[in-house]
Amino acid sequence: MDIIQRNLFSLLRSGAFQSTEDIEPMSAFKWGRLYQLAVMHNVVPFVYDGIIHNKNQFFLHLTEKQQKDWEKAMSDYRAQEKEQDDLEEDEYLRPDRLTNPLLNRRLQDILDDEHSDMTSRQLLLILLRVVRHLFNEGMPIRQLTELGIFLRKNSQRIDYQAVGKWIERLRLTQMTQLIGEFLIRLFGFSEEDIPFLKERKEKRIDHIAQELIEFTNTRSQDWYFSQQDGGIFVHNTNSSATFSHVRRSARYFKYYPSESVTNFFSSFVHSLSHIEE
């Protein structure tokens, strides 16, 4: 992980969890790249809070233009937040469904159980949201941050025994292991903070994180198929995004084999839905 990414996560941790972090010295150009990463991964408010929290650190130096860029980004975020209720998230990224029919039936049974704890079900949905974004959009930095905040605020209210049973029932064990490793390596969590984490076996987490956080990160919409107005030819929005999606599906097959295959084919079919009849 390079210095830009290290500072990004330092500011994320500081802004989201009010931790004390040492900011490394960077040039104005690299601070500009960090800003681009924060916007790309939709973590502007957390990073901005980290900047404010560490504003007196010697090595946190932003130009006047960069300060204005951050203030404008925060203003845009607040405006978008007010309209959030009117914005619809891509249906395909909803966390309350799985593409594997058997696992989806099990998930719906869990969500329909009125006797289970609401906070615990919320945790399950947040975990599934991370998985959906990991499969379809790359490094889910925003979703991991929200997961970390939820765990910090609600740890005492969560029925981890029930969550553990749901994870096994949905065959999510290996995927939640990976998510737990992300929280430990990138967000400063300890093993004690993540009761659903079992024996740590993942050795390639830094390599995986590096691959996922690259500036070439793509979005699910990037590889939707579309049709030109009045045309008969169908084309792909971004061919490189398609190959990235294939590589991600292959990379995470071992973590969630029962879902990764159906997710890929389901997302392919979903992309075709953007073609006009």
Side-chain angles (χ1 to χ4, degrees):
M1 188 175 296
D2 64 30
I3 188 173
I4 300 173
Q5 295 158 3
R6 290 198 301 273
N7 274 342
L8 173 69
F9 282 104
S10 292
L11 293 170
L12 256 179
R13 290 191 295 268
S14 182
F17 311 118
Q18 292 74 54
S19 62
T20 301
E21 305 285 340
D22 292 326
I23 307 302
E24 300 179 61
M26 293 198 305
S27 65
F29 172 78
K30 289 183 177 179
W31 277 109
R33 298 290 268 180
L34 187 149
Y35 170 80
Q36 291 174 344
L37 265 183
V39 173
M40 175 183 295
H41 292 284
N42 194 25
V43 290
V44 166
F46 306 113
V47 178
Y48 184 74
D49 285 348
I51 290 174
I52 298 301
H53 187 68
N54 295 279
K55 63 181 179 180
N56 293 323
Q57 283 205 33
F58 181 78
F59 290 123
L60 204 165
H61 177 69
L62 301 176
T63 65
E64 184 176 346
K65 179 182 181 305
Q66 288 171 336
Q67 291 175 352
K68 290 181 179 179
D69 286 342
W70 278 105
E71 291 169 2
K72 182 180 185 302
M74 278 301 299
S75 176
D76 292 344
Y77 174 81
R78 293 189 185 101
Q80 181 181 348
E81 196 174 36
K82 292 180 180 179
E83 301 174 359
Q84 197 65 39
D85 292 338
D86 299 325
L87 298 175
E88 293 185 7
E89 183 181 35
D90 189 337
E91 173 76 13
Y92 190 68
L93 296 176
R94 286 174 50 186
D96 59 349
R97 62 182 292 274
L98 290 169
T99 58
N100 182 293
L102 173 61
L103 297 182
N104 189 53
R105 283 197 297 273
R106 293 179 180 178
L107 173 61
Q108 300 313 313
D109 288 342
I110 292 170
L111 298 179
D112 291 340
D113 182 4
E114 297 179 357
H115 299 291
S116 62
D117 176 65
M118 178 67 74
T119 306
S120 302
R121 276 183 283 166
Q122 284 182 300
L123 173 59
L124 179 65
L125 286 175
I126 295 173
L127 287 169
L128 288 172
R129 185 178 295 279
V130 173
V131 173
R132 300 293 291 167
H133 279 259
L134 193 61
F135 272 140
N136 298 292
E137 303 223 326
M139 185 65 171
I141 298 179
R142 170 78 185 213
Q143 292 71 32
L144 284 168
T145 304
E146 292 172 344
L147 170 60
I149 292 172
F150 185 85
L151 288 172
R152 293 283 197 222
K153 290 183 176 179
N154 300 283
S155 183
Q156 301 301 319
R157 300 167 52 199
I158 297 171
D159 183 350
Y160 285 107
Q161 186 175 3
V163 173
K165 290 179 179 178
W166 296 338
I167 286 173
E168 291 183 4
R169 191 178 179 193
L170 297 175
R171 301 176 186 171
L172 269 169
T173 302
Q174 288 182 289
M175 185 58 79
T176 52
Q177 288 292 104
L178 181 62
I179 292 172
E181 287 289 345
F182 278 129
L183 290 176
I184 290 172
R185 301 287 188 91
L186 303 177
F187 290 85
F189 277 65
S190 66
E191 293 184 47
E192 292 72 24
D193 295 326
I194 315 172
F196 56 80
L197 186 69
K198 296 186 177 180
E199 182 182 355
R200 298 174 64 188
K201 297 180 180 179
E202 181 58 61
K203 304 298 183 183
R204 300 179 61 251
I205 187 71
D206 292 329
H207 179 66
I208 292 172
Q210 180 65 35
E211 288 180 337
L212 289 172
I213 200 174
E214 293 295 338
F215 289 103
T216 53
N217 190 56
T218 57
R219 296 290 183 262
S220 58
Q221 293 89 340
D222 292 341
W223 70 289
Y224 286 165
F225 290 87
S226 59
Q227 189 174 22
Q228 292 181 342
D229 293 339
I232 62 173
F233 295 105
V234 175
H235 65 92
N236 186 265
T237 310
N238 184 341
S239 59
S240 65
T242 304
F243 289 113
S244 294
H245 192 76
V246 173
R247 286 195 297 270
R248 275 200 300 272
S249 297
R251 180 184 299 120
Y252 296 109
F253 177 80
K254 74 170 185 175
Y255 294 104
Y256 206 1
S258 51
E259 176 70 8
S260 63
V261 174
T262 55
N263 177 82
F264 175 77
F265 286 107
S266 179
S267 57
F268 180 80
V269 172
H270 178 68
S271 71
L272 295 176
S273 68
H274 290 74
I275 302 174
E276 295 183 4
E277 295 292 340

